[in-house]
Amino acid sequence: CAWLRHLHISRAKIEWLAFLATRRDTFALPTSNCDGYRIQRREDNFRDPNRDFPYSRPDSHCLKTDTARLIFEIMTDTLTQIVVTFHGGMVALGYEWGSYDHPRGSDRSPDHAAHSSIGASMSALSGSGSRPNSTFYSAKPINSIVYPVHGGMEDWMYAGGWDASALRQCFEYPPRARRNAGLNNPRAIVFLVETSDAKRPRNHQLGRPK
């Protein structure tokens, strides 16, 4: 609180932040694919964890990686409302859709208004991008700025709880009745942040406090 007052944050806003902080949990996974990071490879257990989630995949081809299983456990054991995932390789800010079930960049999710509104605010507050002379991270549907994938984490986190036709059971993963029923699968608002054109950006490209 003293630090916030030093920044001239009003008492009302400090009380609001305290209310949020004491009634919500925040999970941070700095390197969810720790083995891949250690050996500087994308794969985990010889598979791409970004294609390993139980959405729009065959039942026998999902949750094979430790990375996907770790995130699966967190998401199915908590009621997560919003997720921000950071990647490298380009500069962008994306939201649903990102799957082959909704492959066109013009496809709109049921929560498109919320996605685009929050995304616009994030873009405006993000500062300059890593490209020379760039201004802000552009917020758009994933399929309009990247490409669709099968088994993508973002789509599963958003629609895995209610898009039953695309939900998968992942036969080889230890089953639970609730998993097969999809009762606790996630329904989060998800944003994909592509932080830099470089896979390993330099520290000065990652932003700083204003």
Side-chain angles (χ1 to χ4, degrees):
C1 290
W3 181 73
L4 292 174
R5 286 194 294 270
H6 176 73
L7 296 177
H8 306 293
I9 305 299
S10 69
R11 180 181 179 85
K13 287 186 177 179
I14 291 175
E15 291 178 351
W16 176 70
L17 290 170
F19 175 87
L20 294 179
T22 55
R23 287 164 176 79
R24 288 160 177 80
D25 292 320
T26 300
F27 295 87
L29 279 71
T31 312
S32 54
N33 182 5
C34 53
D35 285 337
Y37 182 82
R38 178 176 57 84
I39 61 175
Q40 296 300 295
R41 293 187 60 177
R42 180 187 185 98
E43 291 79 18
D44 172 356
N45 194 25
F46 304 103
R47 294 176 181 269
D48 184 348
N50 283 336
R51 311 289 186 272
D52 195 34
F53 288 85
Y55 184 83
S56 186
R57 293 284 288 173
D59 286 341
S60 58
H61 290 81
C62 53
L63 295 182
K64 301 286 189 180
T65 64
D66 291 334
T67 303
R69 293 178 179 185
L70 168 65
I71 294 171
F72 179 89
E73 292 293 339
I74 292 174
M75 293 299 295
T76 55
D77 284 341
T78 64
L79 179 59
T80 300
Q81 295 176 305
I82 189 165
V83 175
V84 182
T85 174
F86 295 90
H87 294 247
M90 62 180 296
V91 178
L93 174 59
Y95 49 83
E96 299 309 313
W97 291 104
S99 73
Y100 277 105
D101 291 353
H102 310 278
R104 297 174 300 177
S106 59
D107 288 340
R108 297 292 182 255
S109 74
D111 296 286
H112 178 75
H115 277 118
S116 59
S117 176
I118 297 172
S121 296
M122 293 172 66
S123 177
L125 293 170
S126 64
S128 60
S130 63
R131 288 193 183 98
N133 302 319
S134 63
T135 305
F136 300 118
Y137 286 89
S138 178
K140 297 179 181 178
I142 295 171
N143 280 343
S144 70
I145 55 177
V146 192
Y147 45 80
V149 301
H150 292 299
M153 183 185 77
E154 293 82 11
D155 289 273
W156 171 73
M157 284 181 167
Y158 172 63
W162 51 266
D163 195 354
S165 63
L167 186 65
R168 296 296 177 258
Q169 296 184 27
C170 305
F171 290 145
E172 295 183 15
Y173 194 59
R176 295 182 188 172
R178 65 173 174 80
R179 288 177 180 158
N180 293 336
L183 297 178
N184 283 15
N185 282 324
R187 300 164 176 83
I189 294 290
V190 184
F191 292 92
L192 166 68
V193 180
E194 293 282 355
T195 58
S196 168
D197 291 325
K199 288 289 187 181
R200 293 175 61 87
R202 297 180 178 179
N203 288 339
H204 74 271
Q205 294 178 310
L206 300 178
R208 61 182 184 273
K210 292 184 178 180

